[in-house]
């Protein structure tokens, strides 16, 4: 034990042999012997944050764990019997008891020692005691690789088949894109020789080859949505492989094998649609060759995604790397630029591009059906010499290479922890004593857990004695002391009442909350037409200056009631009366969520400062706002970390306890009259929990605030801070009244439930609410008896009498659609829209300036791609030659494609920021328009800089049309495409439930634009029923046409430009008209992004 940052988890990692790097000295002795290298096999380690597959039930999760962790259970019947025993023992029969499952997965399958870092943070006391007291003695021998593979295959397939949303998105994407490609090239495979017009390939042949190229392009992007799933699975893998649940090889094999049938099914939908509509020859050998190559290409792309996921471990980084890979792979496929035209410096490129071998295999398979005429087409593309089967084997080699790299990255990291002998530690201490003042100051800045001085000069001798089941501790072992119950709130609560009182704002009007017969129900997803009641007739009231604790066992309805009272419910049906000073809606409130969502690159002071700028009145001076921020920092004891960065999953920051206090500080900075706290002590030790709640108590007393808080397992001192207690059992009240009277109420009741004076009263009350209390005869008292007891008591009668004056009950329906329809969303923001945009812009600029890695990487990516294109198309030729025109069209076309895919990495980032947006908008810190406007304004300078660098490099390397006017027109088109793609990403991120779903929508949008752009199929070649509308819904058509007109129209160096423009259908609109037509597309997706932010809300509460 110890306060936040004292080194508890560090010591636990060191003792449990989980530390991988660093230096340590001393000895760790287990049962009188030095810890052996196999120590980890005999121990369990329950992480504070555990990951599980969300689509599996608790029973299935434990079953799969038993499968590989208990070697002595070899049959399904034996494993199932063990699972049923565990479910009964740990009270996991109901799904709401899920927090106990991680302890079940770890502690029950190791014989000797279990370590649990803050495992009970989110679990009530009865559940904690049950989970940690359960023990089994099993053979700790590891299961075979075959057994591990069987389990992983079964588990991965089960989880995959239940992810219906992702499967539906995959199937829809393949069907829609397949239909699109089939319609675009409808019946165009029915052609006959001659295939050449003079020396040039005929338009009919070009159309077929374009369709084959589009098929490869779709394969290259269709499996991009698997990357987030693979990244999530890799996090679970790291957790389970550290627990020795299985080895790297079984996981690697299962990850590669399970997706194959799904890839085949989805590919079959796409391929059959395309094969039938484009009119390929009904030849069985060609059908299977074509199917095999396209399917193998899909597997190659999936294996590449697996490599990106295992190498980066981050979906955002992996997706950011993807555009570079996509550009290189597709550029060297042999369609955009002939293999014979590739510069000597890039001659190796086509050999490392699997897109080249896939396209070559498809073209050879198809054109070989036409004999000599077809072989001439193959020769024109420099695709001669290899059979389709050879190309397929080369693709298999790519699969093997990617699979090998992913296995290498999955291997557990090498342990670099070094043990120092005592003399080395003494020498190190002597050197530290001789350092100068600067080095001493740096050493003082280290945390106690990291400082060498914290260990002293003597070697650490820590003896861990594992107790066998049934053995009592040895004589002399310290026993837990008994404490007398605390019946009154301490007068020395931490917090500066004077500081909180000395503010220069007008005090908020105190708020009295009363609620009568509140009922809340949601639709039963398992039974259509039915509903599930989560709250049933809950009544109570909280006056200004009072703190009310909402307590109960897991699933009792604490957070549900808090959401209803705070008017934050977005789904379900609410009935009853809730009044705030006799009003239906509160004037102002603060709601502190259980999750800590912040911008990791900001400091603690900056986070609170920006919250103050958004929530305090604009009439306040900057000095007054700074004083308020300072007061909140002091009240929540954040002064020591005020200038430290918050941190996130990728960056080390403040501790969990400090993060929780920061979340409270952000929400209460405007000191509203009504405060709601959802699990404010989750993740905090008892001392820090008391400090946090004491600060809330000081605020309550100094400002007569009204506080309601759900709380798990409060300490004796924390519990004494509350004035009232509302105790719930399955959505019904079993006690409401003074918190200090709760124990006496049950003791004086007919059930005579007397508490133990040596036990924390809060823990005893949780036992009562959890059905663990016994009457004097030893019989268990269930929750229904307690409900009946309270309803019959005089306290319930008095509550009903008081509530009778509140008015008639109301019945308000809350729409099931994921929309924010809560009363909180209707409250006005504290500041004007102008102030909101200004503050969000300042905050965004601070984050942008500190996120140097992402900023520099985006710029480097643009430079790298421009240099790549510049070297491929270096100094394009002029005149009447065929290459002078086709190469120009190729580079201009693929520029527009690049800017569609270049901002894909914005999807994960926007989805992550969406949680912060939901929280801050729900608190009315700003409205949707202000957020949207700030995002738009932040994008423009970044995109303008990156695109300008890209355009300057590419334009001059390629040798496009000289002249400043032509260059800036080129720059304008690319900039508008880049800005449009970011708005598209924002729109998709707003309507998609997850990153995987967003990446599924992307190929549909992309191929609509690519197909109708006028390059793969010239505009005059579209049938009338398609050409009359298709090209007009593609922004890429107008961008590509603008670039071609800018380069071709009136260019004396290209005398045949008019012929090419006529063939492409680009003569009807001027380049001014096409440039202006880009603006409506950009404006439409700006408005669509704003509308999606306003209407779509996936935060179902």
């Amino acid at each position: 034990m110890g306060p936040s940052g004292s080194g508890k988890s560090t010591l636990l990692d060191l003792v449990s042999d989980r530390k991988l790097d660093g230096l340590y000295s001393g000895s760790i002795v287990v049962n009188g012997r030095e810890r052996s290298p196999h120590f980890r096999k005999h121990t369990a380690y329950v992480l504070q944050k555990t990951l599980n597959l969300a689509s599996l039930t608790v029973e299935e999760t434990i079953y799969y764990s038993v499968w590989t962790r208990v070697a002595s259970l070899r049959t399904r019947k034996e494993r199932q019997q063990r699972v049923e025993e565990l479910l009964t023992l740990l009270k996991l029969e109901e799904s709401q008891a899920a927090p106990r499952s991680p302890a079940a997965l770890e502690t029950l399958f190791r014989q000797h020692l279990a370590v649990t870092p803050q495992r009970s943070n989110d679990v009530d006391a009865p559940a904690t005691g049950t989970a940690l007291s359960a023990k089994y003695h099993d053979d700790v021998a590891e299961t075979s690789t075959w057994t591990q593979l069987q389990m992983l295959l079964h588990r991965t397939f089960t989880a995959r088949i239940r992810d219906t949303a992702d499967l539906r998105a995959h199937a829809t994407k393949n069907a829609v894109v397949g239909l699109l490609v089939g319609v675009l090239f409808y019946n165009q495979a029915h052609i006959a020789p001659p295939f050449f017009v003079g020396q040039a390939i005929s338009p009919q042949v070009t159309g077929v080859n374009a369709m084959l190229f589009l098929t490869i392009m779709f394969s290259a992007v269709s499996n991009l949505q698997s990357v987030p799933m693979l990244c999530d699975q890799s996090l679970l893998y790291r957790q389970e492989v550290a627990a020795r649940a299985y080895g790297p090889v079984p996981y690697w094999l299962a990850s590669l094998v399970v997706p194959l049938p799904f890839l085949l099914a989805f590919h079959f939908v796409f391929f059959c649609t395309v094969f039938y509509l484009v009119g390929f020859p009904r030849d069985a050998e060609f059908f299977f060759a074509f199917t095999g190559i396209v399917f193998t290409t899909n597997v190659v792309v999936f294996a590449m995604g697996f490599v990106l996921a295992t190498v980066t471990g981050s979906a955002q980084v992996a997706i950011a790397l993807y555009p570079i890979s996509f550009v290189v792979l597709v550029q060297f496929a042999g369609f955009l630029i002939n293999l014979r035209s590739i510069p000597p410096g890039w001659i190796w490129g086509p050999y490392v591009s699997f897109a080249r071998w896939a396209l070559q295999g498809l073209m050879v398979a198809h054109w070989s059906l036409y004999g000599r005429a077809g072989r001439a087409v193959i020769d024109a593309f420099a695709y001669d010499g290899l059979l389709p089967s050879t190309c397929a084997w080369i693709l298999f080699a790519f699969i093997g290479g990617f699979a090998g790299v992913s296995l290498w990255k999955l291997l557990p990291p090498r342990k670099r922890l070094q043990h120092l002998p005592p003399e080395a530690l003494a020498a190190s201490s002597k050197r530290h004593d001789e350092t100068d003042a600067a080095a001493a100051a740096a050493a003082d800045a280290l945390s106690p857990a990291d400082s060498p001085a914290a260990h002293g000069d003597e070697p650490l001798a820590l003896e861990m004695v594992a107790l066998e089941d049934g053995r009592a501790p040895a004589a002399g072992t310290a026993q837990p002391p008994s404490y007398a119950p605390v019946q009154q709130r301490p007068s020395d609560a931490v917090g500066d009442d004077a500081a909180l009182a000395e503010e220069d704002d007008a005090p908020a009007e105190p708020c009295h909350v009363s609620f009568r017969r509140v009922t809340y129900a949601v639709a039963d997803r398992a039974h259509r037409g039915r509903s599930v009641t989560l709250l049933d007739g809950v009544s109570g009231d909280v006056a200004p200056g009072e703190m009310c604790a909402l307590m109960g066992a897991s699933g009792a309805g604490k957070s549900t009631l808090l959401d209803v009272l705070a008017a934050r419910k977005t789904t379900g049906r609410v009935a009853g009366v809730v009044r705030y000073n006799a009003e239906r809606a509160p004037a102002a409130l603060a709601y502190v969520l259980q999750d800590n969502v912040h911008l990791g690159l900001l400091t603690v002071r900056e986070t609170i400062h920006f919250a103050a700028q958004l929530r305090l009145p604009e009439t306040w001076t900057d000095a007054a706002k700074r004083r308020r921020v300072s007061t909140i920092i002091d009240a929540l004891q954040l002064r020591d970390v005020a200038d430290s960065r918050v941190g996130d999953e990728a960056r080390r920051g403040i501790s969990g306890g400090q993060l929780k206090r920061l979340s409270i500080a952000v929400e209460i900075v405007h000191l509203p009259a009504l405060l709601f706290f959802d699990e404010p002590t989750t993740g905090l030790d008892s001392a820090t929990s008391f400090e946090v709640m004491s600060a809330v108590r000081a605020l309550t007393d100094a400002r007569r605030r009204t506080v309601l808080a759900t709380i798990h397992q409060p300490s004796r001192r924390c519990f004494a801070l509350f004035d009232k207690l509302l105790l719930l059992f399955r959505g019904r009240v079993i006690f409401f009244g003074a918190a200090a009277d709760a124990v006496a109420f049950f003791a004086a009741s007919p059930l005579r439930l007397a508490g133990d004076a040596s036990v924390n009263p809060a823990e005893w009350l949780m036992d009562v609410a959890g059905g663990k209390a016994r009457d004097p005869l030893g019989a268990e008292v269930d929750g229904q008896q307690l409900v009946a007891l309270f309803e019959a008591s005089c306290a319930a009668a008095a509550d009903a009498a008081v509530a009778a004056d509140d008015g008639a009950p109301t019945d308000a329906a809350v729409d099931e659609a994921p929309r924010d329809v809560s009363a909180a969303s209707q409250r006005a923001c504290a500041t004007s829209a102008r102030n909101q945009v200004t503050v969000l812009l300042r905050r965004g600029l601070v984050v942008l300036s500190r996120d140097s890695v992402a900023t520099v990487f985006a710029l480097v990516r643009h430079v790298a791609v421009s240099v790549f294109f510049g070297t491929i198309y270096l100094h394009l030729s002029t005149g009447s030659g065929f290459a002078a025109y086709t190469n120009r069209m190729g580079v201009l076309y693929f520029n527009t494609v690049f800017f569609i895919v270049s901002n894909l990495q914005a999807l994960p980032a926007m989805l992550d920021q969406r949680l912060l947006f939901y929280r801050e908008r729900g608190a009315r810190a700003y409205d949707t328009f202000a957020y949207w406007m700030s995002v738009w304004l932040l994008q423009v300078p970044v995109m303008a800089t990156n695109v300008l660098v890209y355009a300057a490099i590419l334009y001059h390397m390629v040798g496009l049309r000289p002249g400043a006017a032509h260059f800036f027109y080129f720059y304008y088109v690319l900039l508008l495409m880049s800005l449009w793609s970011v708005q598209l990403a924002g729109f998709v991120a707003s309507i998609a439930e997850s990153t995987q779903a967003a990446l599924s929508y992307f190929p549909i949008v992309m191929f609509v634009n690519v197909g109708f752009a006028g390059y793969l199929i010239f505009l005059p070649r579209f049938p009338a029923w398609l050409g009359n509308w298709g090209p007009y819904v593609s922004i890429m058509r107008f961008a590509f046409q603008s670039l071609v007109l800018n380069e071709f129209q009136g260019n004396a160096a290209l005398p045949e430009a008019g012929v090419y423009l006529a063939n492409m259908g680009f003569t009807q609109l001027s380049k001014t008209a096409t440039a202006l037509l880009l603006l409506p597309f950009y404006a439409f997706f700006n408005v669509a992004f704003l509308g999606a932010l306003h209407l779509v809300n996936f935060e179902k509460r």
Side-chain angles (χ1 to χ4, degrees):
M1 297 177 64
S4 299
S6 61
K8 303 181 297 295
S9 296
T10 301
L11 178 61
L12 198 68
D13 288 343
L14 191 61
V15 172
S16 61
D17 198 21
R18 260 68 178 180
K19 270 294 179 188
L20 297 177
D21 51 21
L23 303 173
Y24 85 100
S25 179
S27 60
I28 300 176
V29 179
V30 181
N31 285 343
R33 297 189 300 272
E34 192 76 20
R35 186 179 63 186
S36 73
H38 305 291
F39 175 74
R40 292 178 65 180
K41 293 183 180 180
H42 305 270
T43 62
Y45 191 103
V46 185
L47 294 170
Q48 183 177 355
K49 293 182 180 179
T50 53
L51 300 173
N52 289 303
L53 295 174
S55 57
L56 300 180
T57 65
V58 173
E59 179 179 357
E60 290 170 334
T61 302
I62 299 177
Y63 178 83
Y64 288 123
S65 184
V66 171
W67 195 337
T68 58
R69 302 192 195 199
V70 186
S72 58
L73 304 179
R74 301 184 181 279
T75 66
R76 179 179 179 84
K77 183 178 181 180
E78 291 175 335
R79 292 192 290 265
Q80 187 61 39
Q81 183 178 357
R82 170 60 61 84
V83 171
E84 292 173 359
E85 293 173 1
L86 299 181
L87 293 173
T88 303
L89 180 64
L90 294 177
K91 306 295 184 183
L92 283 168
E93 297 93 340
E94 299 179 3
S95 60
Q96 60 262 30
R100 277 169 273 182
S101 58
L105 299 183
E106 298 292 344
T107 61
L108 301 181
F109 312 126
R110 294 292 183 267
Q111 185 176 10
H112 300 302
L113 181 65
V115 290
T116 58
Q118 303 187 34
R119 181 59 255 164
S120 60
N121 280 338
D122 303 334
V123 192
D124 52 71
T128 303
T130 302
L132 298 183
S133 62
K135 295 182 181 178
Y136 277 94
H137 295 288
D138 289 307
D139 179 13
V140 296
E142 295 183 355
T143 51
S144 66
T145 300
W146 172 242
T147 300
Q148 297 170 18
L149 178 60
Q150 282 181 298
M151 184 280 289
L152 287 167
L153 288 171
H154 196 282
R155 186 181 74 172
T156 307
F157 184 82
T158 302
R160 191 78 179 92
I161 202 69
R162 288 184 183 169
D163 192 357
T164 54
D166 186 56
L167 295 179
R168 213 168 28 243
H170 261 299
T172 302
K173 173 188 62 182
N174 280 268
V176 171
V177 177
L179 185 63
L180 174 65
V181 175
V183 169
L184 287 174
F185 298 94
Y186 181 71
N187 221 25
Q188 291 193 22
H190 280 303
I191 62 174
F195 295 148
F196 290 83
V197 179
Q199 298 296 319
I201 294 176
S202 69
Q204 292 81 7
V205 173
T206 301
V208 174
N209 291 340
M211 185 275 300
L212 299 179
F213 175 69
L214 207 58
T215 300
I216 299 304
M217 282 185 65
F218 177 67
S219 298
V221 300
S222 63
N223 287 310
L224 186 61
Q225 76 181 87
S226 299
V227 172
M229 176 191 69
L230 292 169
C231 289
D232 292 341
Q233 288 182 358
S234 67
L235 296 177
L236 179 62
Y237 160 76
R238 298 296 179 188
Q239 172 185 304
E240 293 184 326
V241 79
R244 308 183 73 86
Y246 47 77
V249 173
Y251 170 79
W252 171 73
L253 286 172
S255 299
L256 290 174
V257 171
V258 170
L260 294 181
F262 298 98
L263 291 177
L264 180 60
F266 298 139
H267 155 71
F268 197 73
V269 171
F270 169 80
F271 176 76
C272 287
T273 305
V274 172
F275 193 89
Y276 174 77
L277 289 176
V278 303
F280 277 123
R282 304 300 190 265
D283 182 88
E285 182 178 356
F286 169 72
F287 176 84
F288 286 111
F290 204 99
T291 303
I293 290 174
V294 177
F295 174 66
T296 307
T297 306
N298 273 269
V299 178
V300 174
V301 176
F302 177 82
M304 185 179 74
F306 195 19
V307 170
L308 290 174
T310 53
V311 170
T312 64
S314 165
Q316 186 172 350
V317 176
I319 295 172
L321 289 172
Y322 176 79
I324 299 177
S325 306
F326 176 80
V327 166
V328 174
L329 292 172
V330 175
Q331 194 65 38
F332 287 130
F335 179 80
L336 295 174
I337 183 170
N338 194 286
L339 296 182
R340 296 189 181 95
S341 301
I342 293 177
W346 290 103
I347 199 65
W348 53 271
Y351 294 96
V352 299
S353 170
F354 63 80
R356 172 263 174 101
W357 301 108
L359 183 60
Q360 179 170 344
L362 294 180
M363 290 184 63
V364 171
H366 177 71
W367 296 113
S368 295
L369 299 175
Y370 294 91
R372 177 179 295 179
R375 285 194 292 273
V377 175
I378 296 172
D379 180 68
F381 280 85
Y383 280 160
D384 53 328
L386 292 178
L387 297 174
S389 59
T390 307
C391 295
W393 282 113
I394 294 175
L395 293 175
F396 277 113
F398 276 96
I399 296 174
F402 286 136
V405 174
S406 60
L407 177 60
W408 171 63
K409 292 300 295 182
L410 286 173
L411 296 176
R414 293 181 58 187
K415 188 173 181 179
R416 295 183 297 274
L417 182 66
Q418 298 182 30
H419 180 267
L420 292 179
E423 55 272 14
L425 180 62
S428 177
S429 299
K430 183 177 179 181
R431 287 194 301 270
H432 278 293
D433 292 339
E434 297 173 352
T435 54
D436 57 15
D444 290 340
L446 293 174
S447 66
D450 299 326
S451 175
H455 303 294
D457 291 336
E458 296 298 326
L460 174 66
L462 175 64
E463 181 170 347
M464 298 295 298
V465 181
L467 302 179
E468 298 294 336
D469 188 24
R471 286 176 52 192
T477 303
Q479 299 296 322
S482 298
Y483 296 95
V486 178
Q487 299 297 337
Q488 69 282 345
R489 174 166 49 88
S491 59
D492 58 343
V494 176
D496 191 345
D497 292 11
L500 288 171
E502 292 176 359
E503 294 289 351
D504 40 357
D505 66 316
E509 180 186 0
C511 182
H512 183 280
V513 181
S514 63
F515 45 99
R516 170 173 164 263
R517 296 201 305 272
V518 171
T519 300
Y520 177 71
V522 295
D524 188 350
R525 297 182 182 274
H527 302 88
R528 186 179 297 274
R530 298 184 184 179
S531 62
V532 178
T533 301
L534 302 181
L535 296 175
D536 187 3
V538 179
S539 300
D541 70 283
V542 186
E546 290 184 341
M547 291 175 59
C548 179
L550 309 182
M551 294 177 60
S554 299
K558 305 180 296 296
S559 295
T560 301
L561 176 60
L562 198 72
D563 287 342
V564 170
L565 296 180
R568 291 180 70 93
K569 276 297 178 188
T570 60
T571 60
R573 188 175 185 82
V574 181
V577 175
V578 182
R579 292 290 184 267
Y580 313 88
N581 286 344
E583 300 294 334
R584 289 180 177 272
L589 61 83
Y591 191 105
V592 181
L593 294 171
Q594 183 174 353
D595 298 326
N596 302 310
V597 182
H598 301 287
L599 295 172
L601 290 170
L602 296 180
T603 66
V604 170
R605 187 187 306 277
E606 289 168 340
T607 302
I608 304 174
H609 166 77
F610 286 119
Q613 294 290 331
L614 290 168
R615 301 174 198 234
L616 293 177
E618 291 181 78
T619 55
W620 280 36
T621 64
D622 289 340
K625 292 178 181 179
R626 286 194 297 269
R627 284 197 300 272
R628 172 59 63 84
V629 170
S630 182
T631 298
I632 295 296
I633 288 175
D634 290 335
L636 292 173
Q637 298 191 359
L638 291 169
R639 178 66 60 185
D640 291 341
V641 294
D643 298 312
S644 300
R645 292 189 183 180
V646 176
D648 50 30
E649 294 180 356
R651 306 171 184 87
R652 186 176 180 86
I654 59 178
S655 68
Q658 294 159 348
L659 196 61
K660 175 60 68 176
R661 280 179 274 168
L662 176 61
S663 297
I664 296 175
V666 166
E667 297 300 335
I668 71 170
V669 69
H670 57 310
L671 297 179
L674 186 55
L675 307 175
F676 294 92
F677 295 88
D678 188 13
E679 307 289 357
T681 60
T682 297
L684 308 182
D685 56 73
S686 59
T688 307
S689 298
F690 180 67
E691 292 172 359
V692 170
M693 297 313 298
S694 294
V696 176
R697 179 76 253 179
L699 173 64
T700 305
D701 293 338
R703 294 300 189 91
R704 296 193 66 218
R705 292 329 192 222
T706 305
V707 175
L708 293 95
T710 62
I711 191 164
H712 259 310
Q713 199 176 331
S715 66
R716 184 186 300 268
R717 294 193 299 167
C718 265
F719 184 69
L721 295 173
F722 289 93
D723 301 288
K724 289 185 176 180
L725 169 67
L726 195 154
L727 197 60
L728 292 169
F729 171 78
R730 295 185 181 177
R732 304 190 69 181
V733 181
I734 59 177
F735 175 80
F736 175 71
D741 297 338
V743 176
F745 167 79
F746 290 107
S749 69
L751 298 176
R752 298 169 61 193
L753 302 177
D756 187 348
S758 65
V759 176
N760 177 1
E763 292 190 12
W764 183 82
L765 289 169
M766 291 299 296
D767 282 337
V768 172
K772 291 180 175 289
R774 295 180 180 273
D775 62 19
L777 299 179
E780 285 192 355
V781 179
D782 62 27
Q784 297 300 331
Q785 292 176 275
L786 298 173
V787 172
L789 170 68
F790 181 74
E791 290 178 346
S793 68
C794 59
D799 175 72
V802 172
D805 297 331
D806 286 342
T810 60
D811 192 358
V814 182
D815 196 350
E816 284 286 351
R819 302 188 289 115
D820 187 0
V821 294
S822 65
S825 66
Q826 306 304 318
R827 301 194 316 272
C829 297
T831 63
S832 65
R834 178 179 179 181
N835 180 76
Q836 296 167 28
V837 174
T838 302
V839 173
L840 290 175
L841 271 176
R842 290 174 180 171
R843 188 176 72 174
L845 288 173
V846 172
V847 173
L848 190 65
S849 65
R850 292 178 183 170
D851 193 7
S852 56
V853 174
T855 305
V856 172
F857 180 79
L859 180 61
V860 169
R861 185 183 61 213
H862 282 78
V863 171
V865 174
S866 62
V867 171
F868 172 74
F869 278 136
T871 53
I872 291 290
Y873 297 96
L874 186 65
H875 301 314
L876 289 176
S877 60
T878 57
S880 302
F882 180 74
Y885 300 88
T886 57
N887 286 345
R888 274 178 169 76
M889 289 188 293
V891 70
L892 296 176
Y893 171 78
F894 219 78
N895 267 282
T896 57
V897 174
F898 169 70
F899 279 103
I900 290 181
V901 300
S902 65
N903 290 302
L904 269 178
Q905 81 280 359
L907 285 173
M910 288 184 172
L911 284 162
D912 290 341
Q913 292 177 7
R914 189 170 68 181
L915 298 175
L916 181 63
F917 166 69
Y918 285 160
R919 191 202 76 183
E920 294 181 327
R921 184 181 63 176
R924 303 309 296 154
Y926 50 77
D927 58 24
T928 304
F929 177 80
Y931 174 79
W932 169 81
M933 179 61 69
S934 67
V935 170
W936 181 78
L937 290 175
L938 283 170
Q939 291 169 356
V940 173
V942 176
M943 294 294 101
T945 302
N946 291 341
V947 176
L948 180 61
V949 173
Y950 176 93
I953 295 174
L954 177 69
Y955 201 89
H956 295 92
M957 287 188 69
V958 173
L960 296 177
R961 190 173 184 178
H966 296 294
F967 169 77
F968 283 107
Y969 184 93
F970 177 81
Y971 170 62
Y972 159 79
V973 173
L974 295 187
L975 176 60
L976 215 55
M977 279 296 297
S978 183
L979 291 172
W980 172 83
S981 67
V982 174
Q983 295 302 104
L984 171 65
F987 169 71
V988 172
S990 300
I991 64 173
E993 191 169 359
S994 64
T995 305
Q996 289 175 244
L999 292 174
S1000 293
Y1001 300 150
F1002 170 76
I1004 298 175
V1005 178
M1006 175 181 175
F1007 278 88
V1008 168
N1009 281 278
V1010 168
F1012 289 115
Y1015 177 74
L1016 298 177
I1017 304 176
F1018 290 170
L1019 298 185
R1021 290 184 53 80
F1022 284 113
W1025 65 272
L1026 197 60
N1028 288 336
W1029 64 270
Y1032 295 94
V1033 301
S1034 170
I1035 186 176
M1036 190 171 167
R1037 171 262 172 106
F1038 294 105
F1040 177 55
Q1041 183 172 346
S1042 298
L1043 296 177
V1044 171
L1045 290 173
N1046 184 55
E1047 183 67 19
F1048 283 20
Q1049 199 172 54
N1051 191 346
L1054 300 173
E1056 302 296 329
V1059 176
Y1060 282 90
L1061 290 175
N1063 291 337
M1064 298 175 72
F1066 284 174
T1067 57
Q1068 297 179 356
L1069 295 173
S1070 66
K1071 74 174 189 177
T1072 302
T1074 56
L1076 291 175
L1077 285 171
L1078 294 175
L1079 296 174
F1081 284 91
Y1082 180 51
F1084 173 80
F1085 275 95
N1086 270 281
V1087 175
F1089 182 24
L1090 175 61
L1093 285 173
H1094 183 70
L1095 298 175
V1096 182
N1097 186 359
F1098 290 102
E1099 189 188 33
K1100 290 188 178 182
R1101 299 189 66 87

